[in-house]
Amino acid sequence: MSTQTTTTAVSQRVVITGIGAVTSLGKSVELLWKACLSGCSGVSEISSFDTSSYTTRIASEIKEWDASPYMDRKEIRRMDRFVQFAVAAAKMAVADSNLEITDKIRDKVGVCIGSGIGGLSSIEEQHKVLIERGPGRISPFLIPGIICDMGAGLVSIMLGARGPNSCVTTACATGTNCVGDAYNIIRRGDADAMLAGGSEACITPLGMAGFCAARSLSTHNDDPERASRPFDNSRDGFVMGEGSGVLLLESLEMAERRGAKIYAEIVGYGMSGDAHHITAPSPEGEGAARAMKAAMQSAGLKPEQIDYINAHGTSTELNDKNETAAIKSALGKHAYKIPVSSTKSMTGHLIGAAGAVEAAICALTIRDGIIAPTINYDTPDPNCDLDYVPNIARKMNVNVAMSNSFGFGGHNASIILRKLD
């Protein structure tokens, strides 16, 4: 007679112990957070190239960027702006966490940092070289400098993190998918810590021209700071942003063992596909609602246990009304009882970095008990009838926060953070 023994893996709890961010509102997390709570806008006229012939001439641009505190000059010359942002945010997150990536732990420290578009500025620059000087003058660093995974790759190289290394590219859901996938990697025991997030730098001539042609962007050029107007009846498109957000995730066991400070615990992750349209969301936000429901099911939470939602809230006609419908579908009557804000009203839309920056904002919301507002909310839209925390930050004890991200191609992702018990 034979016996069979089965082993059930123990699911690790996952916490956030470090945060790094580079945005137009500041080149650190605390500057970003202070600006958000003050209702400041990072939107201004584009200064990096001539936009006189563009229908949109504004963006949430990072001015006077200097990567030299994070990379040496040779690496700066070889790497696209989005990679530089990723390295900076990752190094900030590690420093914030006080984690030392030693030989003893480096094989269990991983990276999951994505980009929605990748090295667009390098593509444009090297295409000009190709046309004007021929193929023999193209930089040998073109390909490694532009591919979406190079943010994750270079962070791994520079920090010596030899655990799981990956990159998610799901358009505007990228950052949230990266954080969610990293959460699952730690939960199943494949890593003890992960640097997770997104990075983007597509405020370029081609990038802006493409989004202008798609009629996705706001044309409030004369009043940049008021151009991003999520859920407002006068919204006319999103405002392009750039930057990076990176979170250091750890197993709770590792974090407690080394006495790390803990911002929040990640407890739920859900994703779905619309199977509907290349750019438009599914009717009534059906796919988005499924992602939110999946996140709540993953967390073992009921709708009435959600205290706050950081919305995708892009300031486009279709997203805002469909996300509102999705929240009502997922949370039922509770949707009318909780605050929902879009910090894209201040940061602009960071595309592949958006979800990571917004996850960071959720962690800070839980830490400080204050909700950042949706600025520029003046005229209610009958199709958007929830509590959007208009214009002024709100003090409130938040135990559980949800962050939503939805991307072109029908990608939907939601994560849930909770105050650590």
Side-chain angles (χ1 to χ4, degrees):
M1 178 175 155
S2 64
T3 59
Q4 183 177 6
T5 302
T6 58
T7 303
T8 301
V10 177
S11 179
Q12 297 285 333
R13 293 175 68 180
V14 181
V15 294
I16 300 168
T17 61
I19 304 175
V22 179
T23 73
S24 65
L25 291 176
K27 301 179 183 73
S28 73
V29 171
E30 292 305 329
L31 287 174
L32 163 68
W33 187 226
K34 181 179 179 181
C36 283
L37 296 184
S38 300
C40 296
S41 170
V43 184
S44 61
E45 293 185 7
I46 293 171
S47 61
S48 55
F49 61 94
D50 180 12
T51 61
S52 57
S53 60
Y54 286 68
T55 54
T56 294
R57 300 185 293 277
I58 57 174
S60 198
E61 187 179 39
I62 296 174
K63 310 290 188 182
E64 300 177 356
W65 169 244
D66 178 14
S68 61
Y70 310 101
M71 308 168 70
D72 65 36
R73 293 294 180 185
K74 184 182 293 185
E75 289 165 327
I76 292 171
R77 289 195 299 271
R78 292 174 176 175
M79 291 297 157
D80 191 88
R81 186 175 173 94
F82 91 95
V83 179
Q84 297 172 24
F85 290 157
V87 170
K91 287 192 171 183
M92 289 179 197
V94 171
D96 182 43
S97 74
N98 288 319
L99 177 68
E100 185 180 358
I101 304 176
T102 63
D103 286 339
K104 184 178 179 180
I105 69 168
R106 68 176 72 254
D107 288 356
K108 296 286 279 185
V109 178
V111 183
C112 184
I113 297 174
S115 179
I117 296 176
L120 198 55
S121 64
S122 296
I123 292 172
E124 292 177 42
E125 291 167 4
Q126 291 299 303
H127 181 258
K128 183 178 180 181
V129 171
L130 174 66
I131 298 301
E132 295 179 353
R133 302 169 65 186
R137 303 307 297 270
I138 291 293
S139 168
F141 298 102
L142 170 62
I143 301 304
I146 66 173
I147 49 181
C148 289
D149 74 315
M150 196 48 64
L154 200 61
V155 166
S156 170
I157 291 166
M158 296 186 74
L159 295 177
R162 301 194 308 198
N165 189 294
S166 66
C167 159
V168 177
T169 296
T170 48
C172 307
T174 294
T176 297
N177 279 134
C178 283
V179 174
D181 286 2
Y183 157 70
N184 278 335
I185 287 170
I186 297 173
R187 281 184 75 206
R188 64 178 181 251
D190 289 343
D192 293 328
M194 293 287 295
L195 284 155
S199 190
E200 206 73 82
C202 51
I203 303 174
T204 69
L206 183 60
M208 290 298 295
F211 280 104
C212 285
R215 299 182 181 178
S216 300
L217 301 178
S218 171
T219 56
H220 279 294
N221 297 304
D222 296 333
D223 196 2
E225 294 184 357
R226 293 181 57 78
S228 184
R229 313 178 62 80
F231 305 108
D232 188 271
N233 200 42
S234 64
R235 64 189 184 277
D236 72 329
F238 76 83
V239 175
M240 183 73 77
E242 64 176 353
S244 179
V246 175
L247 310 180
L248 182 68
L249 312 186
E250 293 184 54
S251 69
L252 177 61
E253 180 183 349
M254 175 175 170
E256 289 184 332
R257 186 170 63 242
R258 68 183 192 88
K261 74 174 183 297
I262 295 172
Y263 287 94
E265 180 179 8
I266 300 179
V267 294
Y269 173 42
M271 55 182 174
S272 70
D274 284 347
H276 174 66
H277 189 270
I278 58 173
T279 57
S282 56
E284 299 299 309
E286 182 273 335
R290 282 189 287 112
M292 286 184 266
K293 290 175 182 177
M296 288 187 287
Q297 182 177 5
S298 166
L301 295 173
K302 298 177 181 178
E304 55 268 26
Q305 293 175 281
I306 306 298
D307 297 319
Y308 164 65
I309 295 176
N310 187 294
H312 188 54
T314 57
S315 185
T316 61
E317 173 63 26
L318 288 179
N319 175 88
D320 293 3
K321 71 178 183 180
N322 280 284
E323 184 173 11
T324 297
I327 292 170
K328 289 188 281 190
S329 174
L331 274 68
K333 293 180 180 179
H334 186 62
Y336 290 99
K337 299 177 182 179
I338 65 169
V340 177
S341 70
S342 172
T343 46
K344 287 184 179 71
S345 59
M346 296 171 281
T347 64
H349 190 349
L350 277 69
I351 313 298
V357 169
E358 288 151 15
I361 288 171
C362 284
L364 295 166
T365 299
I366 289 170
R367 182 192 71 178
D368 293 346
I370 187 167
I371 296 170
T374 304
I375 68 168
N376 302 324
Y377 184 83
D378 300 320
T379 309
D381 178 348
N383 293 308
C384 301
D385 58 350
L386 301 179
D387 174 7
Y388 302 112
V389 194
N391 302 311
I392 298 173
R394 181 182 303 172
K395 290 184 179 180
M396 177 178 163
N397 183 40
V398 174
N399 288 305
V400 179
M402 174 185 284
S403 183
N404 290 333
S405 295
F406 316 126
F408 283 0
H411 306 286
N412 307 302
S414 297
I415 57 171
I416 298 177
L417 280 61
R418 180 172 62 193
K419 186 177 293 184
L420 187 68
D421 295 337

